[in-house]
Amino acid sequence: MTDSYRISHRAPSFDEEGTTVRLDQVGGARDQVFPRDVFEHPDWYGGTYDETIRQVRAAAQSGDPDRLVTVYRAVPLGVTQINPGDWVALSRSYAVDESYRSSTDGSADGNVITARTPARTLYSEGYLEEWGYQGDGPLTEAADAKERSLVQASFPRSARAAVSAPLASDAALPPTATRPQTMAREASR
């Protein structure tokens, strides 16, 4: 398959002018993109998903360019790998959200590929949730992730959308409430 699914805005890569930063260098002496307070206030730099923040913090604080991190890529059905130059996320939830945004009808008509790659292959332009994969070759999905995708894909499209779409009633929940808390309250009535 070609890379025709890509958008025109390309993922970041190494830039000698300091407009990008490698994952293992975030918040360090070589980082000209994120200020030192990036770990105190990740939300100021787009960090909204806990998995992203944990992975960025672990990779950056280790300082190890070969530290493996898990990446996720929302792709159309039929795309089976992450290619150099692709946008990736460090949070599965973020990638799932992107898969909904990229569909024309709001359905989950795509797939999220999961893979592992060294921190040195990921670059950011200053938004913690989006990274450019710049490895030497394509990444293929991890075997356990493939099984989850195959199980999910075996359900009819309407069922996949029903179980993974947010409930309309979630919008009415107080910001601190979670769906399990609300379901527990309703069950006790």
Side-chain angles (χ1 to χ4, degrees):
M1 175 174 260
T2 67
D3 64 357
S4 61
Y5 62 91
R6 287 183 173 171
I7 59 174
S8 61
H9 181 64
R10 297 294 180 193
S13 61
F14 174 73
D15 179 353
E16 291 181 15
E17 295 178 10
T19 61
T20 63
V21 64
R22 206 170 65 191
L23 176 59
D24 60 292
Q25 297 173 340
V26 170
R30 294 184 178 174
D31 184 356
Q32 297 179 30
V33 176
F34 292 105
R36 298 229 189 276
D37 68 353
V38 65
F39 298 117
E40 294 170 41
H41 304 286
D43 54 314
W44 293 358
Y45 309 101
T48 56
Y49 292 88
D50 290 339
E51 184 180 7
T52 298
I53 296 165
R54 277 192 307 271
Q55 288 209 82
V56 171
R57 183 175 279 129
Q61 290 177 347
S62 78
D64 179 4
D66 293 318
R67 181 185 179 95
L68 291 178
V69 295
T70 303
V71 295
Y72 306 92
R73 168 98 174 131
V75 294
L77 293 175
V79 175
T80 59
Q81 62 189 24
I82 299 171
N83 297 301
D86 278 352
W87 288 97
V88 295
L90 300 179
S91 162
R92 179 166 186 76
S93 296
Y94 184 85
V96 168
D97 289 350
E98 286 298 306
S99 73
Y100 284 102
R101 280 193 210 56
S102 63
S103 70
T104 56
D105 63 0
S107 68
D109 223 10
N111 191 25
V112 173
I113 297 174
T114 304
R116 305 267 292 158
T117 189
R120 66 180 153 73
T121 64
L122 301 172
Y123 290 85
S124 175
E125 295 173 314
Y127 182 59
L128 289 174
E129 296 296 345
E130 295 180 350
W131 295 82
Y133 168 66
Q134 300 299 342
D136 293 331
L139 298 173
T140 56
E141 187 166 34
D144 63 331
K146 279 185 183 177
E147 289 176 24
R148 285 192 307 273
S149 295
L150 289 173
V151 169
Q152 183 183 27
S154 68
F155 289 100
R157 185 185 319 174
S158 59
R160 287 194 318 256
V163 296
S164 56
L167 296 175
S169 61
D170 285 351
L173 292 176
T176 57
T178 64
R179 188 179 297 169
Q181 290 170 337
T182 305
M183 291 169 59
R185 280 196 303 267
E186 290 173 0
S188 66
R189 288 184 189 169

